[in-house]
Amino acid sequence: MDAALNSNSSTSTDVGGAPAEPSLKRRTIHGSAWTIGGYAFQHALKLASNVILARLLFPEAFGVMALVNSLIQGLQMFSDVGIEPSIIQSKRADEPKFLNTAWTLQVIRGFGLFLAACAVAWPFTEFYADSPEYAPFKSDLLMMIPVAALTALFAGFNATNMVTLNRHLKLKERMLFDLVLQVCNIGSTIVLAWVYRSVWALVAGNVIEALLRVMASHVVLPGIRNGFAWDKSCVHELIRFGRWIFLGTVLGFLMQFGDRLILGKLMSPTDLGLYAIALGFSQMVVKAMRQFSGRVLFPLYARLQEDDPDRLRSRMFRVRGALLLCALPPVCVLAVIAQPVVDVLYTSDYHEAGWMLRILAIGGVASIIGLTISPVLLAAGDSLGHLIAMTLQAGGMVACVVVGGVMHGPVGVIVGITVSKFLTYPVNAAFAYKHGVWMPKLDGLAFAGCGVVVAGGCWLLP
C-alpha cells in the first residue's frame, strides 16, 4: 500500500500485462485537482448567476426562497439514514445486490420526504405568515413547498453510480456531470426569472435540475443499472452504520439551516434575503471544502484506514496542510474586503449585506479547519463518535444563537453563528486526539495566521 501511495506513475501493469488501476495517491491528486478546479468554476458560475438574479428579482424573493430551501433541506437531513456514507465505507459496496438494496431504501425515502413536505406545508406557512412582512407571500409559500419537494422525490431515484464514482475517487467524471447540470439549472432559472420576474423561477430551476439529474445518472454514468431489491443482510448493514448518521444529520440541519429558520421570525423577508445573499457568498469556499471533504477526504481516509492505518496521521498531515494553505487565504481576504465587494457587485438595495458578509466570512475560517478533520470519524467507522461530535457542536450553536439574539437581536444571532463555528474546534480536536490524528501545531498556526491577516486587514480597511 505504501508503495502504491508513493508511486509516481499514474498506472501500473498487472501480471497479464493489462493496465491496473491508478495508485491511490494518483487518484487522490487527480481527483483533488478536478474537485478544486470544478468547484472554483461552479462557484464562479453561481456568483455570476446570483448577481444577475439580484437584478431580475427583489431581495424578498431570496428571503422567501431561503425559508423554503431550509425546510426541504431540513426534511432531507431529518430522514438521512447514511446511505451514501455507507456505500463509500462498506467493503460490499461493489456488489449489485448491496447497491440495489441501498437504491430501494433511497427511493422509499424520497417518497416519504415528498409526503412529509406536503403535510407540513400549511403549518409551516402559518408559522411565518402571521408576520405582516410575510403575509403577501402566504399563498406562494404554501404552494412552493410541495413543488420544491419534488426535488427530494426525484433525488430518491438517483443512480448509485453517482456515489460509487466518489468511492473510487473517480472525481473527474462526477465533477463534469455536476457542472453540466449546474449550467442547466442556472440557464433555466435566469430565463424564467427574466420572463416572469417571480420567486417561482428559483423553485422551477431547482426542479428542472433534479429531473435532469435523475435521468442522466441512469443513462450517462458508468456502472450497474439500478433495480428494486431487498436483501436483509444489506439492509442490516446499511441501517447499522447509518443509524448514528441519521441522528447526526438531524443535528447537522440545526447547524447548517437553523439560522435561516430562526432569523425568519426575527427579520423581514428583505433582511432575510440580504442575509441569504451574504451567507451564500461567505459559504462559497466552505461549501467547496464540505463537498471536497465528503467526496475526497472521506473516501481517502477510509482507504488509508482500511489499508494502512499506522500511517494515517502522516498522510492526513500532508493533505490537511495543503488544503488549509489553499482554502484559508481566500476566506480571510473576503472577510477584509466584504463591503467593497458587495458594493461593486450588487445594487444599493443589497449593500446592507456587506457587514453580514464580513462577520460570516470570519466564521468560515473555523469551518474550513474543522472540515479537514471531521471525515476521519466516519472513515474509521466511528459513526457514534460522529453523532456525539455533532450533538456537542449543535448544542454550542444553539446556545450562541440564543444568547446573541437575546442580547442584540438579529445582529447578535449572526455574531453568535460565527462564534459557534470556533467553539466546534475543541470538539473536533478531542475526537481527532481519540483516533491519534490531532495536529495542534498545524491548527494553531492556521488560526493564528488567519487572525493576523483578518485583524490587520480590518484595521487598514474598517
Side-chain angles (χ1 to χ4, degrees):
M1 175 62 191
D2 185 60
L5 277 172
N6 290 281
S7 173
N8 290 323
S9 61
S10 60
T11 59
S12 58
T13 304
D14 63 15
V15 176
E21 281 289 314
S23 69
L24 179 60
K25 180 179 180 180
R26 278 290 180 180
R27 281 182 285 154
T28 302
I29 294 173
H30 189 257
S32 299
W34 270 97
T35 300
I36 294 172
Y39 277 111
F41 186 64
Q42 277 187 318
H43 286 300
L45 286 176
K46 187 174 181 179
L47 174 60
S49 67
N50 191 274
V51 172
I52 295 171
L53 289 171
R55 285 163 168 76
L56 295 175
L57 302 175
F58 40 89
E60 294 91 331
F62 294 96
V64 173
M65 195 62 194
L67 288 179
V68 174
N69 283 338
S70 297
L71 175 63
I72 302 302
Q73 292 291 334
L75 291 173
Q76 289 181 327
M77 298 179 77
F78 269 70
S79 63
D80 189 357
V81 292
I83 293 174
E84 290 192 14
S86 297
I87 293 175
I88 292 175
Q89 191 267 347
S90 176
K91 296 179 180 180
R92 303 180 61 186
D94 292 319
E95 299 177 12
K97 178 172 60 175
F98 184 87
L99 292 173
N100 285 329
T101 301
W103 184 76
T104 302
L105 285 172
Q106 182 178 277
V107 171
I108 295 171
R109 173 175 172 261
F111 274 104
L113 283 172
F114 176 73
L115 295 175
C118 294
V120 303
W122 183 79
F124 183 85
T125 301
E126 288 296 318
F127 179 74
Y128 287 99
D130 63 351
S131 170
E133 293 88 351
Y134 285 93
F137 301 96
K138 182 176 181 178
S139 60
D140 282 333
L141 191 58
L142 181 62
M143 295 300 298
M144 285 168 62
I145 292 171
V147 175
L150 289 172
T151 60
L153 177 62
F154 296 152
F157 289 89
N158 285 339
T160 56
N161 298 333
M162 294 170 58
V163 186
T164 54
L165 288 178
N166 291 350
R167 169 177 166 80
H168 296 293
L169 292 173
K170 296 180 178 179
L171 301 178
K172 173 184 175 181
E173 294 86 347
R174 179 63 192 271
M175 182 54 65
L176 290 174
F177 180 78
D178 289 341
L179 279 173
V180 171
L181 289 169
Q182 185 185 18
V183 171
C184 294
N185 176 301
I186 291 173
S188 60
T189 302
I190 290 176
V191 170
L192 291 170
W194 180 68
V195 173
Y196 296 105
R197 305 298 173 104
S198 168
V199 66
W200 278 95
L202 304 177
V203 179
N206 290 340
V207 174
I208 291 171
E209 181 195 6
L211 182 58
L212 292 175
R213 180 178 294 272
V214 67
M215 292 190 296
S217 68
H218 288 275
V219 175
V220 176
L221 297 181
I224 71 167
R225 294 297 171 251
N226 290 121
F228 291 105
W230 193 265
D231 182 86
K232 289 184 178 180
S233 64
C234 296
V235 173
H236 175 74
E237 179 177 340
L238 288 162
I239 293 177
R240 180 183 58 81
F241 181 79
R243 66 188 187 275
W244 301 121
I245 295 178
F246 161 70
L247 295 174
T249 51
V250 171
L251 298 166
F253 162 72
L254 294 176
M255 297 173 62
Q256 293 185 42
F257 298 98
D259 55 346
R260 274 146 283 186
L261 297 179
I262 293 171
L263 289 170
K265 291 296 290 183
L266 299 175
M267 287 180 166
S268 67
T270 299
D271 290 336
L272 183 61
L274 296 176
Y275 174 77
I277 293 288
L279 182 67
F281 216 130
S282 71
Q283 292 284 296
M284 285 195 299
V285 178
V286 175
K287 283 184 177 180
M289 182 58 70
R290 183 172 290 117
Q291 294 289 341
F292 187 89
S293 177
R295 293 189 181 182
V296 179
L297 295 187
F298 176 30
L300 172 63
Y301 292 170
R303 299 287 77 75
L304 291 174
Q305 177 67 26
E306 179 181 326
D307 298 334
D308 197 10
D310 293 336
R311 306 195 68 177
L312 176 61
R313 178 184 172 85
S314 62
R315 303 303 183 205
M316 277 189 64
F317 183 85
R318 297 178 188 177
V319 172
R320 292 192 62 227
L323 287 176
L324 294 178
L325 190 61
C326 292
L328 290 177
V331 177
C332 294
V333 171
L334 181 61
V336 173
I337 64 172
Q339 189 64 58
V341 166
V342 172
D343 292 346
V344 169
L345 293 179
Y346 295 92
T347 63
S348 58
D349 292 338
Y350 294 87
H351 287 180
E352 278 296 304
W355 66 266
M356 301 181 189
L357 176 56
R358 169 170 283 183
I359 296 172
L360 294 170
I362 292 173
V365 170
S367 296
I368 288 172
I369 293 174
L371 285 169
T372 62
I373 302 173
S374 55
V376 76
L377 295 180
L378 292 179
D382 189 5
S383 55
L384 176 59
H386 175 75
L387 169 63
I388 295 172
M390 294 291 288
T391 302
L392 295 174
Q393 292 172 12
M397 192 209 76
V398 171
C400 290
V401 167
V402 170
V403 171
V406 170
M407 294 179 63
H408 297 290
V411 177
V413 171
I414 295 174
V415 173
I417 291 168
T418 291
V419 171
S420 70
K421 304 298 183 184
F422 287 89
L423 295 182
T424 62
Y425 175 77
V427 178
N428 285 321
F431 280 95
Y433 178 80
K434 173 187 174 183
H435 291 279
V437 292
W438 183 38
M439 303 166 191
K441 292 182 180 179
L442 176 64
D443 297 341
L445 181 62
F447 278 118
C450 291
V452 170
V453 171
V454 173
C458 292
W459 178 70
L460 293 173
L461 187 65

